[in-house]
């Protein structure tokens, strides 16, 4: 196993009524709270009233940044930074999905510096030395942002969606109540599931192949997502299914299953560029990219794809070459995405083939899990996805 450092200070409160722990956390911080949320789902569900009532009981002064959009943009981060600086905010309370949480991480980093948050952190990847503490109340299981140090923000006029990671940005606490996910529309359940699976794939398809327990945990998580997403789609108030999905998504990106592994993340980088140009949901982009990335790179790690096909997707290896087994496993992934209603082609989300070179040129490529990709490789992967 490769050497690694594991650090994760986020305290997780999981389960029905986990919100009962909010007052205790609020009592550990100063008076001024920045409540951050999206386009209104928490108002419609009643969670907004619950949270503001607890803040009031704890004697807090609450300021708000609302209307945080999916694929959050720099404008919202600047808005939050200004409030933090003007109002001397002690805690940022992110109530929502990954977009709200990620926007809050940008705000938290920007609030404690005179540097421009976008230029310093997201563009230049400079070190973040201090950040306003963040608390999370999660309503959408997908990104793992509730228990990790990453954030993804878009500068729309540059078509640039990029990430930033810092130990300063781990949420101080995260409240995960599966009942808050009952109101999710069907497409968000699907995108969340695809994102969770994609996070697992990014870590699972990477060297070294040395019997690392991470790989076995990954296989179990994939199976668990598949089993429970079907149940949640059928019965939105299936508490056990919702609980399992919620913990799967957190586990998929709280860095545990990446320990000792190279990790890949190029499919994510390609997706970020698609969203940077076309503002598509992250999970939709991943469902389109991942099977095509898999077909393209399978020769670099055929044994891993064979293991994946047989162990995770039940492909019968009898009478097949290794490549045929690998391809059958990849097809099973793509069929699964289609079966739950995720798009699997660029055409379905309105992205024309002509834009591919421009989109590919903006991809922030990583060294890869087994082998690097070039821009030309990205073009071929996306052309196969048309
Ligand atoms: O804005 P509201 O009204 O709250 O509605 C949201 C939004 O429209 C809705 N929603 C959330 N919880 C709901 C709900 N609707 C009904 N009931 C609920 N309980 O869902 C819509 C999508 O929300 P969003 O936060 O955008 O989704 P998600 O959690 O998938 O976050 C996606 C963003 O996270 C980034 C993605 O790139 C994308 O920008 N990622 C962040 C990562 C990280 N920080 O570690 C890693 C990921 O790979 C990803 O890149
Ligand atoms: Zn993702």
């Amino acid at each position: 196993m490769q050497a690694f450092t594991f650090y994760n200070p986020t305290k997780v409160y999981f389960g029905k009524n986990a919100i009962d722990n909010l007052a205790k956390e609020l009592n550990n911080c100063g008076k001024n709270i920045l409540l951050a949320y999206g386009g209104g789902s928490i108002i419609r569900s009643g969670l907004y009233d619950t949270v503001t009532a607890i803040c009031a009981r704890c004697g807090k002064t609450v300021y708000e940044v609302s209307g945080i959009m999916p694929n959050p943009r720099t404008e919202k981060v600047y808005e939050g930074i200004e409030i933090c600086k003007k109002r001397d905010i002690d805690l940022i309370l992110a109530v929502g999905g990954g977009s709200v949480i990620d926007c809050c991480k940008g705000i938290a980093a920007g609030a404690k510096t005179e540097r421009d948050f976008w230029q310093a952190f997201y563009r230049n990847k400079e070190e973040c030395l201090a950040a306003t503490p963040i608390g999370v109340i999660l309503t959408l299981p997908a990104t793992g942002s509730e228990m990790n140090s990453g954030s993804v923000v878009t500068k729309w006029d540059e078509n640039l969606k990029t990430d930033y990671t810092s130990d300063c940005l781990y949420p101080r606490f995260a409240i995960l109540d599966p009942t808050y996910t009952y109101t999710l529309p069907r497409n968000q359940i699907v995108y969340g599931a695809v994102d969770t699976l994609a996070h697992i794939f990014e870590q699972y398809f990477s060297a070294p192949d040395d019997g690392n327990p991470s790989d076995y945990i990954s296989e179990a998580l994939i199976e668990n997502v598949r089993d429970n997403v079907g149940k949640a789609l059928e019965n939105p108030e299936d508490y056990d299914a919702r609980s399992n999905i919620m913990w799967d998504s957190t586990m998929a990106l709280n860095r545990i299953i990446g320990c000792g592994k190279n990790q890949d993340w190029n499919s994510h980088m390609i997706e970020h560029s698609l969203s940077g140009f076309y503002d598509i949901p992250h999970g939709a982009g991943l469902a389109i990219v991942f099977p095509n990335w898999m077909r393209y790179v399978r020769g670099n790690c055929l044994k891993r794809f064979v293991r994946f096909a047989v162990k995770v997707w039940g492909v019968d290896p009898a009478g097949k070459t290794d490549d045929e087994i690998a391809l059958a496993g990849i097809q099973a992934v793509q069929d699964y995405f289609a079966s739950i209603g995720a798009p699997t082609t660029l055409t379905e989300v309105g992205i024309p083939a002509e834009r591919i070179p421009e989109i590919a040129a903006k991809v922030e490529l990583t060294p890869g899990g087994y082998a690097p990709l070039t821009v030309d490789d990205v073009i071929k992967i996306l052309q196969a996805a048309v």
Side-chain angles (χ1 to χ4, degrees):
M1 201 183 295
Q2 285 180 359
F4 63 85
T5 302
F6 179 76
Y7 170 72
N8 194 318
T10 303
K11 182 187 275 188
V12 175
Y13 297 105
F14 190 100
K16 222 174 260 183
N17 303 322
I19 195 77
D20 291 348
N21 296 286
L22 179 59
K24 181 172 65 190
E25 288 294 338
L26 292 181
N27 289 333
N28 279 336
C29 71
K31 192 174 164 48
N32 296 329
I33 308 291
L34 178 63
L35 174 60
Y37 56 97
S41 71
I42 69 158
I43 295 177
R44 292 188 291 280
S45 70
L47 183 54
Y48 175 88
D49 288 343
T50 305
V51 171
T52 50
I54 294 170
C55 289
R57 274 206 303 280
C58 294
K60 304 297 174 187
T61 304
V62 177
Y63 301 92
E64 291 191 10
V65 54
S66 62
I68 297 171
M69 64 295 277
N71 297 326
R73 299 187 186 181
T74 49
E75 292 86 321
K76 277 287 157 197
V77 180
Y78 286 119
E79 190 183 322
I81 291 171
E82 200 183 322
I83 301 172
C84 283
K85 288 186 171 173
K86 199 160 149 196
R87 304 294 184 184
D88 206 9
I89 293 297
D90 297 297
L91 178 85
I92 303 172
L93 195 51
V95 189
S99 295
V100 171
I101 305 168
D102 285 8
C103 181
C104 288
K105 289 177 179 173
I107 296 170
K112 295 285 185 191
T113 182
E114 289 313 310
R115 292 176 284 173
D116 175 74
F117 96 91
W118 174 253
Q119 203 57 39
F121 302 128
Y122 291 76
R123 291 303 302 267
N124 299 344
K125 317 291 183 198
E126 291 170 19
E127 193 180 354
C128 173
L129 302 170
T132 307
I134 300 167
V136 170
I137 301 171
L138 185 68
T139 64
L140 197 176
T143 64
S145 189
E146 66 278 5
M147 197 184 172
N148 72 39
S149 55
S151 160
V152 187
V153 172
T154 299
K155 188 159 185 340
W156 184 247
D157 58 4
E158 289 180 14
N159 295 120
L160 187 62
K161 177 174 174 178
T162 190
D163 66 318
Y164 180 66
T165 301
S166 164
D167 280 355
C168 291
L169 298 180
Y170 280 101
R172 179 182 283 188
F173 64 90
I175 291 173
L176 275 56
D177 182 337
T179 66
Y180 294 163
T181 68
Y182 288 173
T183 54
L184 279 170
R186 192 183 167 90
N187 63 349
Q188 294 298 340
I189 300 175
V190 169
Y191 299 148
V194 172
D195 194 22
T196 302
L197 292 172
H199 296 156
I200 301 166
F201 297 160
E202 298 280 19
Q203 296 163 95
Y204 181 80
F205 288 104
S206 73
D209 296 332
D210 53 2
N212 186 329
S214 293
D215 293 333
Y216 296 84
I217 301 170
S218 291
E219 287 161 350
L221 288 172
I222 296 168
E223 201 177 320
N224 203 262
V225 172
R226 248 180 10 214
D227 285 354
N228 287 286
V229 165
K231 291 179 189 164
L233 288 173
E234 211 165 284
N235 174 14
E237 302 204 1
D238 182 330
Y239 181 77
D240 289 332
R242 294 296 200 174
S243 305
N244 293 335
I245 293 168
M246 202 169 213
W247 191 235
D248 286 334
S249 65
T250 303
M251 279 292 292
L253 199 46
N254 62 7
R255 311 295 183 202
I256 286 178
I257 62 169
C259 288
K261 308 268 305 172
N262 273 352
Q263 310 183 31
D264 193 277
W265 297 107
N266 271 325
S267 299
H268 264 72
M269 296 303 120
I270 299 172
E271 193 299 306
H272 288 172
S273 194
L274 293 176
S275 296
F277 279 83
Y278 281 89
D279 201 16
I280 59 171
H282 178 60
L286 289 168
I288 295 163
V289 172
F290 237 111
N292 291 293
W293 173 87
M294 288 175 164
R295 282 192 197 96
Y296 193 81
V297 304
R298 70 184 190 281
N300 297 333
C301 48
L302 204 52
K303 286 212 162 7
R304 173 50 49 124
F305 274 103
V306 168
R307 168 175 167 166
F308 177 67
V310 175
K311 281 189 81 174
V312 183
W313 297 94
V315 171
D316 179 1
K320 295 188 184 75
T321 63
D322 280 358
D323 198 46
E324 285 166 347
I325 298 167
L327 283 171
I330 296 166
Q331 190 59 46
V333 174
Q334 196 165 35
D335 291 347
Y336 173 69
F337 288 162
S339 76
I340 57 174
T344 54
T345 62
L346 292 173
T347 309
E348 283 169 82
V349 294
I351 302 183
E354 304 85 81
R355 298 298 296 277
I356 288 176
E358 204 184 340
I359 292 168
K362 268 274 173 52
V363 175
E364 299 178 318
L365 289 165
T366 73
Y370 286 101
L373 292 180
T374 63
V375 174
D376 199 43
D377 294 325
V378 175
I379 290 174
K380 288 185 182 131
I381 289 167
L382 288 176
Q383 278 168 343
V386 172

